[in-house]
Amino acid sequence: MEQRIGSGSQPLVEGAGFDPAFVPGLTPPASAAPKGPQEKGDPVAADPDETVPEEAAVEEPEEADEAEDVQEDAAEDEAPVDGPVFEAADRRARIVADHRGVRLCLDDQECEFRWDEIAAVETESPRFGKRFTITVHTPDRRWYPIEIEATARSRFAEWDERLDAVLDAYFEEGAAEEAEAESEAAAEKE
């Protein structure tokens, strides 16, 4: 079975599909217009009659609440947890598996999976070469592979053991299938 990348039915949020007045190269899309305060030298910002809409004033407390939530999450992340942690990295890729779940990073792209979002974790070490592959499978039949280049082939056994320790401690086989079955049963009731 092949995995499709992306969705073919994503809503149009930029360009002529969203703004009929958009002319490529001449006018910016409506979503690209600056939303924050502008420079003092900008003639649009220098308009003294311009007032701040009430909606903008209301959004500031919400943004403060979001900032507090982010700080609370960071505090939870920093709290020491007694348990196994697996971390492997090379110059481009990094994987971390701990009490929160599995995080994959490749260059500037990152994804995070909680333990209840994971159906399986697969490891593969090549017969030749030094690239260790870890693949995270989700219940909706998607998979996310990442390759870590080891300094030596002897690291493969060490990484396999450490990852197995983390999976034994935190990953419950069948939990993802149970959650999927519960959501299907709830959908059938509706």
Side-chain angles (χ1 to χ4, degrees):
M1 178 177 156
E2 292 187 19
Q3 176 174 331
R4 292 184 307 184
I5 298 175
S7 173
S9 62
Q10 294 178 349
L12 298 173
V13 294
E14 288 188 358
F18 181 71
D19 183 9
F22 175 71
V23 177
L26 296 178
T27 60
S31 62
K35 295 180 182 177
Q38 298 175 349
E39 299 289 325
K40 291 181 181 178
D42 192 359
V44 175
D47 186 10
D49 296 332
E50 187 176 319
T51 59
V52 176
E54 293 178 20
E55 295 172 0
V58 172
E59 288 182 24
E60 292 176 6
E62 291 175 5
E63 291 174 4
D65 292 339
E66 290 175 9
E68 290 175 8
D69 292 341
V70 169
Q71 290 175 353
E72 290 173 7
D73 290 341
E76 290 175 7
D77 294 344
E78 295 172 3
V81 175
D82 294 335
V85 175
F86 170 73
E87 186 168 353
D90 65 5
R91 59 186 169 75
R92 294 185 59 206
R94 181 173 57 104
I95 180 171
V96 177
D98 58 11
H99 68 283
R100 291 180 20 215
V102 177
R103 289 176 300 288
L104 307 175
C105 303
L106 180 64
D107 296 331
D108 63 341
Q109 302 295 313
E110 293 186 26
C111 61
E112 182 171 351
F113 303 95
R114 295 185 320 264
W115 289 111
D116 61 340
E117 297 175 324
I118 298 173
V121 177
E122 177 184 9
T123 61
E124 182 182 349
S125 54
R127 188 169 184 192
F128 303 106
K130 296 190 279 185
R131 290 197 176 271
F132 187 69
T133 304
I134 299 172
T135 306
V136 176
H137 296 269
T138 60
D140 57 347
R141 296 192 173 115
R142 309 254 301 144
W143 61 92
Y144 301 87
I146 190 163
E147 289 184 339
I148 307 288
E149 188 170 345
T151 54
R153 289 184 52 83
S154 60
R155 300 283 314 250
F156 293 164
E158 174 192 344
W159 285 350
D160 238 349
E161 290 173 12
R162 289 181 29 215
L163 183 59
D164 282 343
V166 171
L167 293 174
D168 289 342
Y170 302 117
F171 182 66
E172 298 176 17
E173 283 190 51
E177 290 85 14
E178 290 174 12
E180 185 177 334
E182 289 174 6
S183 64
E184 288 176 3
E188 289 176 5
K189 289 180 182 179
E190 292 175 1

